[in-house]
Each structure stands twice: as C-alpha cells, then as structure tokens.
Amino acid sequence: MSFNRPTLSELIARDEADFSARLPGADSRLRRSVLSVLARVHAGATDGLYGALAFYARQLMPDTAESEYLDRWASIWGVSRKAAASAAGAVTLTGVAGAIVPIATELARVDGARFLTTAQAVLTADGAIVQVEAVQPGAAGVTPVAAQLTFTSPVSGVAAIGVAVAGLAGGADEEGDPTLLARLLNRIQVPPAGGTKRDFESWALEVPGVTRAWAFPGWMGAGSVGVTFVCDGRADIIPLQADLDAVGAHLEPYRPVVSKPVIFAPTPLYVDVLLRLTPDTPAVRAAVQAELADFFMREAAPGGTIYISRLREAVSLAAGEYDNRVFAPAADVTASAGFFPMLGELLFQ
C-alpha cells in the first residue's frame, strides 16, 4: 500500500483538531487565536519534514535519484559520469620556412570557437602540421573535415589561415542524467560476462561523446568483433577517425585476449521521406520533422530495418496532424551490414 503524503491544509486541520480535543473549552479555529497560530507553525514544520522524507525517498532508488545521488549510485557499480572533453586534432599551416608558431597560440573558427596549439611548430618549405585543442570543452568544438581556422593575432611568417584537413574530433558535452542512468541500469541488469556482444557495446559507451554503440561478433571472421557507434551530440553523428582511435584505445585493456575488435564508422544510408499532410502548415511540418528525427534515433541501427508502418506511426504522432499519406519510402528499408539508416530529405507534396 502506497503512502499518501498529507497536504499542508490537512496538517493544519489535524493540528487544530488536536488542540481542540486536548484543551477543553479552547477553540483553535478562531481567526486570531494563539492556538490557530501554533497549529499553522507546527503544521508548516511538519510539512517540511514530509518534504525532506519525500526527497530522500526518491534518492533510495537509482531511477528516481537526482544528479548528486545518481553519481553516488553509479560509483557503487563502477560507472562514472563521462566528463566534458575538448575537441582536438591537427591543423596544416603554410608560410615562410623557419617561421615559428609558439605553443598556446590561438586560432578561431568562423563561428567564434577558439582553439590553442598544444605544441610549438616550426614551418618547413612544405609548411607544418600543428596539434590544436578547443579552449571550451564540449561537442561544439568538433570541427568538420577541411574546415578553416584563423589566427586571432598575426604570427610572423605564417599564413593567417590554417586548415583542419582531417577535422577536429573528440569533443563531447558532460554526460547528462538520462544517459548515465541508462548505462547504470544496463550495468545492474546485464552484468559483464567476459566479452559478450553487450560487453563490447557497454565498453564503447564509456567513451566521451559516444551515445549509441553496436557490436557484431565474427565481423571479419572467427575471433573478430566489429564495433561501431555514433555521436548524437554533434551535427554530424558519424564518428571521425580520431573517435575510432579513442574507442579502440579504450577497448584494448578490456577485450578478451582471443577477441580482435574492429572499430569502424557506419556508412550512412539516407532515407528520403515524401508525404502529404492534413493540415499542411509550417507548425505541423516542423512537428513531423521532430517526430521523424526522434523515430530514427530510436529505431535506426547498423544493418537494421526501418519499418514503413513504424514510420507512418511516427508521422501520425506529430502534434496537429490529422491525416497523412506517405509516398516514399514505399516499403520497409533494410540496411546492409555496416550501413546506418538516417533521415534524409523530408519532402511534402
């Protein structure tokens, strides 16, 4: 039987009734009665105690615990909240041979994101490659391939613009409570089993920025395990080479000696959607866009199937939608192994 917490009004009424019952001739319900004041003061203190008890009762279970207590629960099971990580990578510079770029020299992206060099670079006739790291940790520092970075202050003999030829990867925001709770519950419900498919997925999810991971036993023959993942906190969720290297390095101490993990980025399989809406308004279109994005987040998996019936259901869940007809895709979309279904272009007829 569940416990029903009394309201403040109920506590006041209870205290007034107790005073009246224990002090014959007194009436605690009079407007200016001292007993009425005492009843309200006592009821207020009691209500605060009930509130504290309700708060601590929520912390007794991991799935209702708040951040501080969730961290405590996670630490008991050996699960740590993933800290924010700074994006890093190499930037190609050009200029006069012999020119020096000091350590901690600042560069900026066109949107204002700032980066610092982590080592001194000396240019040759072919230029130089210098390692940089984002000043602000988080997914916002992840930079696409061939993006340009500009020195915030001129460096003598060095061109003002550098190029992140392979992009800058590894940036991730601090892990939120929902994903930490999901990993904790997975650890409790599915204990490590010495290198199973679920173990490899759990190990990959421990890397900052990795939000979904999949493992494929026998990926390249006996003894191999294919591991792929995505980083949903970024505009482009497909991992870069630096992300693959980070996951590979993290798995190395965990993997059984007889297992050879093959870390790879899934190949996007874009699924274009053509549909007709009733009513067809900007608000309904935006709601459909959001529902489909959430649908692909829930349902998509490398080598998986996007079921047309489930896609139609997602469209129907959009706020304000009354009727719809989906013209494309016309049937279920099944991805080949290693291909990852992603929402492509959304068109309205």
Side-chain angles (χ1 to χ4, degrees):
M1 180 178 179
S2 62
F3 174 76
N4 294 318
R5 175 185 171 183
T7 65
L8 178 59
S9 297
E10 290 172 341
L11 290 172
I12 293 173
R14 184 184 299 175
D15 282 355
E16 289 178 339
D18 286 346
F19 278 130
S20 297
R22 297 175 184 276
L23 293 175
D27 190 351
S28 61
R29 295 179 178 81
L30 294 176
R31 180 179 180 186
R32 301 185 185 279
S33 169
V34 172
L35 295 179
S36 177
V37 173
L38 292 176
R40 281 163 171 74
V41 171
H42 183 265
T46 305
D47 186 64
L49 294 176
Y50 274 117
L53 289 173
F55 171 80
Y56 287 114
R58 292 194 299 272
Q59 316 316 314
L60 290 175
M61 297 296 172
D63 57 344
T64 55
E66 298 186 8
S67 294
E68 179 182 353
Y69 295 88
L70 178 58
D71 284 332
R72 178 71 182 274
W73 272 109
S75 68
I76 293 173
W77 292 91
V79 179
S80 301
R81 186 186 296 272
K82 292 185 284 189
S86 296
V91 173
T92 300
L93 305 175
T94 58
V96 179
I100 297 175
V101 179
I103 189 173
T105 301
E106 187 178 81
L107 299 95
R109 209 168 53 194
V110 65
D111 61 355
R114 295 178 297 124
F115 303 84
L116 294 177
T117 58
T118 57
Q120 178 178 286
V122 179
L123 271 65
T124 66
D126 297 324
I129 295 177
V130 63
Q131 296 294 318
V132 301
E133 183 176 88
V135 173
Q136 186 68 34
V142 175
T143 302
V145 172
Q148 294 184 339
L149 301 180
T150 305
F151 286 103
T152 56
S153 297
V155 178
S156 178
V158 182
I161 296 177
V163 179
V165 177
L168 307 179
D173 297 327
E174 182 181 58
E175 185 174 26
D177 287 352
T179 51
L180 175 59
L181 175 60
R183 291 198 300 118
L184 172 59
L185 294 179
N186 181 69
R187 170 63 181 81
I188 295 172
Q189 296 166 0
V190 188
T196 63
K197 174 179 181 293
R198 292 289 293 270
D199 287 344
F200 276 93
E201 293 170 350
S202 298
W203 295 332
L205 289 171
E206 294 175 356
V207 178
V210 177
T211 53
R212 289 180 285 165
W214 300 268
F216 303 91
W219 180 250
M220 296 185 69
S224 67
V225 180
V227 179
T228 189
F229 58 94
V230 293
C231 305
D232 292 301
R234 307 175 185 172
D236 183 1
I237 68 175
I238 301 300
L240 300 174
Q241 184 59 49
D243 301 313
L244 303 180
D245 295 340
V247 170
H250 184 75
L251 292 183
E252 187 60 29
Y254 292 102
R255 70 176 181 88
V257 293
V258 295
S259 296
K260 172 67 174 177
V262 179
I263 317 300
F264 66 95
T267 302
L269 174 64
Y270 292 104
V271 179
D272 296 330
V273 178
L274 173 64
L275 56 86
R276 178 187 298 158
L277 288 176
T278 303
D280 189 356
T281 65
V284 174
R285 288 189 177 191
V288 168
Q289 176 84 38
E291 288 292 344
L292 286 177
D294 186 64
F295 166 73
F296 275 84
M297 169 81 77
R298 299 190 314 267
E299 304 281 339
T305 299
I306 295 297
Y307 293 98
I308 185 63
S309 61
R310 302 277 291 165
L311 189 146
R312 292 187 183 121
E313 178 188 35
V315 175
S316 297
L317 289 173
E321 183 274 345
Y322 181 77
D323 187 28
N324 72 79
R325 183 175 179 185
V326 177
F327 299 101
D332 298 341
V333 178
T334 300
S336 302
F339 284 79
F340 183 65
M342 297 179 65
L343 179 61
E345 192 172 4
L346 179 57
L347 303 172
F348 299 92
Q349 192 178 75

